[in-house]
């Protein structure tokens, strides 16, 4: 499983789940991607990041 997590904050519950999920996926040699949606004013940037991730997985 690959995971893309969309978050709006990097603290509190997001910080805990981020660390745990990242460790689980990395231990299984899977990709973990986090996109902070509160920092993106242009959703086109998020689409480009997702396309890049899909291309990386496909290799």
């Amino acid at each position: 499983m690959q995971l893309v997590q969309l978050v709006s904050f990097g603290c509190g519950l997001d910080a805990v789940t981020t660390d745990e999920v990242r460790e689980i996926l990395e231990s299984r040699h899977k990709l973990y991607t986090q996109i902070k949606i509160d920092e993106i004013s242009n959703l086109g940037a998020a689409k480009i990041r997702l396309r890049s991730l899909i291309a990386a997985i496909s290799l």
Side-chain angles (χ1 to χ4, degrees):
M1 174 174 78
Q2 312 296 335
L3 176 71
V4 176
Q5 182 179 19
L6 303 175
V7 297
S8 60
F9 298 103
C11 59
L13 187 57
D14 284 346
V16 174
T17 58
T18 295
D19 292 342
E20 292 299 317
V21 170
R22 178 183 291 130
E23 288 178 20
I24 292 167
L25 290 172
E26 288 179 353
S27 71
R28 291 166 175 80
H29 306 288
K30 300 297 181 180
L31 294 176
Y32 170 79
T33 302
Q34 182 184 74
I35 298 176
K36 294 184 179 181
I37 57 176
D38 59 336
E39 295 179 1
I40 299 174
S41 59
N42 177 2
L43 290 179
K47 289 179 184 179
I48 291 170
R49 292 176 187 168
L50 291 172
R51 281 190 213 133
S52 298
L53 175 65
I54 291 167
I57 294 170
S58 299
L59 295 177

